[in-house]
Amino acid sequence: MEKRLELFQYEPIELGHVHQVADESGWMMDLVTMALNPPVFEIHNFLSDEECDHVIDLAEESGLDNSTLFVRLMPSRTNGSEDEIIPIFEELDLDEDSYLDPAEFANGLLDIAGGRLSEEDVTVLMADMELDADGDHRLDFQEFKLSWIPDLTDTISKWVKDRQNSDDTFHFSSTRVSEQTWLDQSRYEDLTLRRLHERVVKLLQLPRDIVVSSEKLQVVRYQVGGHYHAHFDSSDLDDTLRCSHTEYMFGANEDAPEESFPERGSGESSDGDREHRWDSGNVRLCRYATVLFYLNDVEEGGETAFPVADNETFSYEGFDSESGSSHDLSLHCYDSNLVVKPEKGKAVLWYNHQVNSSNGWMGDAYDLSLHGGCDVRRGQKWIANNWIDIDDNYERQMDYHEFFNRELNRDKERLERIEEENDDDKPTPVSSDIDDDEAILDSSVNSDERDEL
């Protein structure tokens, strides 16, 4: 019987503690503890200058699009039945008093509005949309149902624009202002991307199938004013919602081209000709860990902030209701408990979930893993993200590994046939097991060179 996999997680020990682990070439990496809850570590010189520049070049060649959000509350995707609306109302009703106050309703509008509205703004919005029938500045379930209209996103967007044009005191900051693209480290041959994948495997000390089958490498560019307000990378465990990356395999069409499949686990809404096989309103993000890479030095700003890290007495009650909201890192970046400065080649690792002590698998989310990107004040900021996807349902994750490897092999065979037919120079896909390890190691940056960076 095959041995059951278990997850590894570094113990933070204490602030400033250093773990050492060898990378794919044998060079020792220093992981310095920056926070205990969630465990946050930084690794200087994780990438060489040449590797950083190469990833940026690949991203620019791929082309970048405006970044989007993982959207949960989308009335247009439902039939508006009470059976669908009741669970959402109950989820938003944090104090369980059968009413949504302005702060709770703002949470439901966060992704739709594209930014967080203050309590005062939501109170005005409820009146303008004629939702608050009894004028008590809160919504009961029947009033909440009135907001369940197919064009809610357009309605909210128009309301925000009208307020911006008519009220100079109205503060609204979009949740996410950046451009992004995705680079597939698993399918196409690029020694730098493959080498980076192997380095992440060594860093995390997780089964290789988990890392390789996770999401594509996301590369993001922030211009002056670009930011990503405080958010979570992963969702709480919830038996009623499946993980986005494993749900993907249940909708896969064996005859469909690879381009028709969604970005694995990206949670993005449809765009262009990409047909999504799952509804992002009915799945959750299951990201065990995040590895963020800084690809350049930023002239000013662009820090990564963890507003409530290590605040063991913290409560989210009241956190969302503050005027302007503490999620708004344009206003509150430097109020955060941990602020990490962007430095070219540095990586930051943090865990979004604990390890379940009873089975060694995906456990509860770290409640204090709220984080975001502060405003770039001068220059540009380039980062890349490796999100490590793990389904808390062990059997589904194992099935996904088999599915993913089968898809890789299918794509490899398809492209080999195309190359034979067209005799062109298209990149050769790689299987989940890299056969050319020596080439990766030979092309690795010399350890002495990285020590000098």
Side-chain angles (χ1 to χ4, degrees):
M1 182 176 180
E2 189 172 343
K3 183 180 178 181
R4 181 185 170 97
L5 300 180
E6 292 188 355
L7 302 180
F8 173 79
Q9 186 164 132
Y10 290 100
E11 291 289 340
I13 309 297
E14 63 182 3
L15 297 182
H17 181 82
V18 178
H19 289 281
Q20 285 197 320
V21 61
D23 72 0
E24 81 290 353
S25 66
W27 179 68
M28 299 305 294
M29 301 180 285
D30 289 342
L31 281 72
V32 181
T33 300
M34 304 297 290
L36 308 181
N37 184 6
V40 181
F41 308 89
E42 68 175 11
I43 309 101
H44 286 274
N45 302 326
F46 189 81
L47 290 83
S48 69
D49 285 355
E50 293 76 12
E51 289 171 328
C52 291
D53 295 342
H54 183 70
V55 173
I56 290 176
D57 288 343
L58 291 177
E60 291 182 323
E61 290 172 10
S62 173
L64 292 89
D65 299 313
N66 289 334
S67 300
T68 55
L69 298 167
F70 183 85
V71 177
R72 284 283 306 278
L73 180 59
M74 287 295 287
S76 61
R77 295 181 180 177
T78 74
N79 59 23
S81 69
E82 288 201 3
D83 289 342
E84 292 179 316
I85 302 175
I86 287 174
I88 295 175
F89 182 86
E90 292 175 344
E91 181 180 348
L92 296 176
D93 183 19
L94 298 178
D95 57 10
E96 300 180 351
D97 65 351
S98 300
Y99 291 93
L100 299 186
D101 60 35
E104 291 170 331
F105 190 43
N107 287 334
L109 296 175
L110 175 59
D111 293 339
I112 293 177
R116 185 173 292 275
L117 297 167
S118 70
E119 272 191 78
E120 295 82 0
D121 294 328
V122 171
T123 301
V124 175
L125 172 66
M126 291 191 302
D128 288 350
M129 291 185 64
E130 299 181 351
L131 302 180
D132 184 17
D134 54 14
D136 62 354
H137 306 305
R138 60 182 186 173
L139 303 181
D140 59 26
F141 178 71
Q142 295 304 319
E143 291 172 324
F144 177 67
K145 281 177 58 180
L146 297 176
S147 70
W148 214 253
I149 56 177
D151 60 349
L152 180 60
T153 301
D154 292 338
T155 300
I156 299 296
S157 296
K158 183 178 184 304
W159 183 87
V160 168
K161 290 179 181 178
D162 289 345
R163 283 294 304 277
Q164 288 174 320
N165 291 333
S166 62
D167 186 351
D168 292 338
T169 66
F170 177 68
H171 172 79
F172 181 83
S173 179
S174 296
T175 299
R176 191 174 189 184
V177 180
S178 62
E179 301 164 288
Q180 67 182 27
T181 192
W182 302 85
L183 302 178
D184 197 331
Q185 295 169 279
S186 303
R187 280 179 163 80
Y188 298 108
E189 183 174 346
D190 180 277
L191 285 180
T192 297
L193 292 183
R194 293 168 62 187
R195 186 169 62 237
L196 181 56
H197 232 176
E198 294 306 307
R199 196 172 302 157
V200 171
V201 171
K202 293 290 188 181
L203 168 68
L204 296 175
Q205 300 187 51
L206 293 173
R208 191 171 182 281
D209 274 345
I210 288 177
V211 176
V212 171
S213 65
S214 291
E215 295 169 57
K216 299 176 182 180
L217 182 70
Q218 185 198 48
V219 184
V220 187
R221 177 175 61 196
Y222 296 86
Q223 308 280 12
V224 172
H227 59 258
Y228 193 175
H229 290 331
H231 62 282
F232 294 98
D233 277 353
S234 191
S235 308
D236 291 328
L237 301 187
D238 185 345
D239 290 339
T240 67
L241 295 173
R242 287 180 169 178
C243 295
S244 61
H245 71 287
T246 50
E247 180 67 5
Y248 157 77
M249 70 179 164
F250 288 97
N253 180 338
E254 287 294 319
D255 298 321
E258 188 271 336
E259 292 83 358
S260 71
F261 291 118
E263 310 293 359
R264 295 189 303 280
S266 67
E268 291 189 78
S269 57
S270 299
D271 60 9
D273 296 326
R274 188 178 296 126
E275 178 185 350
H276 281 247
R277 304 287 171 167
W278 44 259
D279 184 342
S280 63
N282 295 320
V283 295
R284 56 189 166 94
L285 296 174
C286 302
R287 293 166 168 168
Y288 173 67
T290 300
V291 186
L292 180 152
F293 316 106
Y294 296 114
L295 302 178
N296 73 320
D297 292 314
V298 182
E299 291 184 47
E300 184 180 351
E303 298 89 349
T304 302
F306 294 79
V308 296
D310 285 337
N311 188 343
E312 300 298 341
T313 62
F314 175 77
S315 170
Y316 280 100
E317 184 177 352
F319 183 74
D320 295 333
S321 62
E322 300 176 18
S323 180
S325 173
S326 295
H327 286 84
D328 188 338
L329 294 182
S330 297
L331 299 175
H332 298 287
C333 172
Y334 301 106
D335 298 331
S336 301
N337 287 354
L338 173 62
V339 179
V340 182
K341 180 181 178 179
E343 298 174 86
K344 187 173 184 178
K346 182 167 74 175
V348 183
L349 159 67
W350 68 88
Y351 293 100
N352 303 303
H353 286 265
Q354 304 170 49
V355 175
N356 187 319
S357 59
S358 64
N359 61 17
W361 199 243
M362 181 92 149
D364 292 333
Y366 281 107
D367 290 337
L368 303 182
S369 62
L370 189 74
H371 66 282
C374 302
D375 282 46
V376 174
R377 302 184 184 282
R378 283 195 300 153
Q380 286 187 336
K381 171 185 171 184
W382 283 89
I383 65 167
N385 292 298
N386 266 144
W387 285 301
I388 308 305
D389 298 327
I390 300 178
D391 197 314
D392 48 287
N393 183 311
Y394 182 87
E395 288 72 23
R396 281 172 62 92
Q397 182 69 27
M398 296 304 103
D399 288 344
Y400 182 69
H401 292 169
E402 293 183 10
F403 165 82
F404 183 82
N405 289 326
R406 190 167 60 247
E407 288 290 296
L408 279 184
N409 290 331
R410 187 187 72 168
D411 288 347
K412 179 179 179 179
E413 293 171 359
R414 179 191 299 122
L415 287 183
E416 284 176 347
R417 288 197 302 269
I418 293 174
E419 287 179 346
E420 290 175 0
E421 293 171 0
N422 299 331
D423 193 27
D424 58 20
D425 294 324
K426 292 186 177 179
T428 304
V430 296
S431 67
S432 60
D433 293 323
I434 292 183
D435 299 323
D436 198 12
D437 288 329
E438 291 186 3
I440 293 177
L441 296 180
D442 289 344
S443 63
S444 295
V445 176
N446 183 280
S447 60
D448 292 335
E449 293 176 5
R450 284 174 63 182
D451 281 332
E452 293 171 0
L453 295 177

